[in-house]
Amino acid sequence: MSAGSFLRCRHKGKDMIDIIGRVQKLYLLDQNIIAHIRTEIDPLTGALSLRGFCEIAPELLQHLRRDEGAAVVYINIEDFKSYNARNGFEQGTEVLCRTADIIAAVFDDRLVSHVYGDRFIALVYESEVLDGIRELESRFMEHFPDAKLCLKFGICRVDSGKNVTFACDASKIACDSIRNKHGILFREYDLELEESVKKQRYIIANIDRAIAAGRIKVYYQPVIRTLTNEICGMEALARWDDDRYGLIRPDVLVSTLERYQQIHKLDACMIRQVCEEFEIRQKAGDRVVPVSFNLSRLDFELCDILQIIEDAVSRHHVPKNMVHIEITESVFDKNPEFIREQLHAFHKAGFEVWMDDFGSGFSSLNVLKEYDFDVIKIDMLFLRHFTTKARRILASIVDMAKKVGIRTLAEGVENADQLAFLRTIGCEKAQGFLIGKPEPLLVTRNNLEEKHYRFERLCLRQYYDDLGKVNFLSNQPLEYAAVSGRNLDVNQITDLDQGIPIAVWEMRGDIGRFLLTNRAYRDVLLSVGVQSPRAAEFDMNDREEQIYWSARQFFREMQEDGDIHAQYAVLGGHHCFIRGRVIARHHGRSAYLLVMQDLSGTFDIEQYKDQAEITNSLFRMFDYVFLLAERPDQDVLLYSVRELPTFSDMDDEGILHEVRKSLMVHPKDQDRYDDFFDRPAIHRALRDGDRAEMKGCFRFWDSSGSWCWKEISLSLSRVGDKKMLAGMRLQMLDMQSDISIGSFHPVSLKELQYLSQMKQTRDTNGHCL
Ligand code: C2E
Ligand code: CA
Ligand code: CA
């Protein structure tokens, strides 16, 4: 190229003609070409079109001196699409025009073309490439300091003998190879890239043969249900097992096939194989789980992908709920209305549609809003950088998904901490190397067996899906669980570390277990003296334990109407408030969501007094509940099963005394009874701790017209400053079954034996003691 070997085809109108005129002079271009070039100007930027570029560049190269080298520089504005989405089309256009100006200014008098969208190409001297690129980059950043945009460059040397079209392709390949690679400004088309181009050509030339020869293999990566640790699905991932290249992975395979519009061949082949293998496994009597596979945007355009899937499932007798499709948001890049119809057709046909790589693109939320998905697969990026912030984002995604009724799966789980975290925030499913890498079906099955994973039973799928709807991050998980539909709750996410104490308890027949407890729940258990959920399970399944009976009574009530039920209990001396509801059922199995709060420490009685629900539950356990102040005249009666004298009549000894007076005690028990209610004694009981429990057995005159033994239990706990919450319960002691249900305070067996002996004596004597 001589000094005049230029073509700045970027000014509109008259300039353009001038420039072409100069070129004509210099190279004596054919008149036809000149006329043609006039039509090859991009009206937006005033630059040449790619076609124009490819026509003129060879002409220019012919004039290149021997000692001069030339290169094609491919320029891409990275993240331009997001910029457009953020700032609108007009501002996007402005960026394009400005960029064209900058390129023209830096590569002054060189041939510059606007390829399309955010892509430009220039033909320059080899010696000016590097300085030019750096200058361009710095001017661009100066112009758009806050645009969150950057430039990427691909370079390919050309000489007069070299095909310009090839150089354009090659520089584009070089440029695309550093896409999203932070900190890399340019890449030259080199041997390595040349190899990769060869590989791509090989792929395109041989895909049909590979499919026919069975060289496309389905690798299966397992998916686990976080709640149960059981395998609940697999993802089918493609591999090409090739003689020449070995295993060709999908990163090269898929992108190449997409670029050359051949991807539907691979995907159809995958679907057929998945169905075929499914049928074989099912016939062999193996436990099967649903399989999801990946579709590309082009599948919807290049073939009738739904029909292909329908044919495959029906030929191999695969139930439609056993195959799910995964699509990424890029599917919606073009022709979103058409894709919407397609997705609708998939749903109508009975297939689940999952959104892949959620959160990796810039419009995930938008896509989620606009289209119906059954599951979102959260991109593995969030787990790769497992920071506090990433955890919060993950939690918010799960919370948000539950609010709109979409299930969640997290990809890229590589360690147990990540899995535990996902379980806690209620992310239903997980996939990643921790559970298993993608392998051929038999290898995957063997690996899972070795790690003692079990496969989820299909009949339980709905049950667990129902369980998965619970939003563990909601302030009102129970209320939320009530409605399995969509879009109802606008709660803030609670701080994960101080979340509401939540557990999911499952009853299978008469055996119960925790499916899940969050940290707050385990803290409450600890505070009431239960070391672990396992220890609690042990007690709750032990018929000798009082809690066995009371809990079952509670579960029965929840079962009856499906509503939220509440129970007040004293556990380890703490006043606990347990609320729950049934959230899923399946043949002899029920799952309950429980929220348990230890009221003792923080109980603000004034706040709770007016809340009907809590008061009802608080007093379910007790006949009387008092808040005892330091001075008896400041006592408050919170609840009483029977009329008591109005408080204005109350004597100086306080409410306890009133209650004591209102109960008729057998003369022989009077002294003991008075001692029991001795106020200093009650205070002494609380001297050494925040909680205490006092019990005594006395004879009372019963409404049945006789003296009956009753046990008084007084549960005490310190609340606030110098106040004491006292729950008092009176319990008949002459019928074993009465004692065992509805109370957390068993009478000792010895006492029972003694009392039943007494009862017999009374019965035979025909009168009371
Ligand atoms: P994807 O659908 O997001 O698949 C997950 C990819 O992440 C898989 O890579 C998998 O091997 C990898 N992966 C899974 N767990 C982990 C983990 O814990 N850590 C890390 N670092 N990576 C993990 P693979 O198999 O190479 O697939 C790459 C992509 O190619 C897939 O991404 C999918 O978009 C596409 N693809 C795969 N098979 C097909 C297919 O049959 N058809 C179409 N259209 N696309 C496919
Ligand atoms: Ca996928
Ligand atoms: Ca993915």
Side-chain angles (χ1 to χ4, degrees), residues 33 38 257 283 288 406 559 597 606 719 725 739 768:
I33 293 184
R38 286 171 202 268
L257 292 174
K283 278 190 177 155
V288 285
I406 298 177
Q559 272 288 355
Q597 272 153 317
E606 295 309 321
V719 289
L725 186 71
I739 296 158
C768 63

Side-chain angles (χ1 to χ4, degrees), residues 285-396:
D286 289 348
R287 202 166 264 186
V288 285
V289 287
V291 180
S292 63
F293 46 80
N294 298 276
L295 291 189
S296 148
R297 177 177 63 81
L298 292 165
D299 288 331
F300 296 96
E301 292 172 15
L302 298 171
C303 62
D304 186 349
I305 191 71
L306 176 56
Q307 194 56 50
I308 289 173
I309 297 172
E310 292 263 27
D311 290 348
V313 297
S314 83
R315 173 178 311 158
H316 298 288
H317 315 288
V318 181
K320 286 182 180 177
N321 63 0
M322 295 304 276
V323 286
H324 314 315
I325 63 161
E326 296 187 12
I327 52 170
T328 60
E329 63 176 75
S330 64
V331 160
F332 302 95
D333 280 355
K334 282 186 195 158
N335 222 344
E337 268 319 302
F338 168 68
I339 301 291
R340 182 201 298 282
E341 284 161 23
Q342 292 270 311
L343 296 191
H344 184 67
F346 267 93
H347 272 138
K348 220 169 121 196
F351 298 103
E352 283 192 8
V353 180
W354 293 10
M355 183 178 184
D356 204 355
D357 301 343
F358 180 84
S360 66
F362 66 91
S363 60
S364 297
L365 282 175
N366 224 14
V367 168
L368 201 59
K369 174 167 73 72
E370 297 294 326
Y371 308 91
D372 280 341
F373 291 97
D374 300 282
V375 172
I376 53 175
K377 295 189 78 172
I378 305 169
D379 195 70
M380 55 186 90
L381 211 77
F382 295 102
L383 287 182
R384 192 167 304 147
H385 309 285
F386 198 46
T387 56
T388 307
K389 197 164 178 188
R391 282 197 286 273
R392 279 176 179 274
I393 294 174
L394 273 167
S396 315

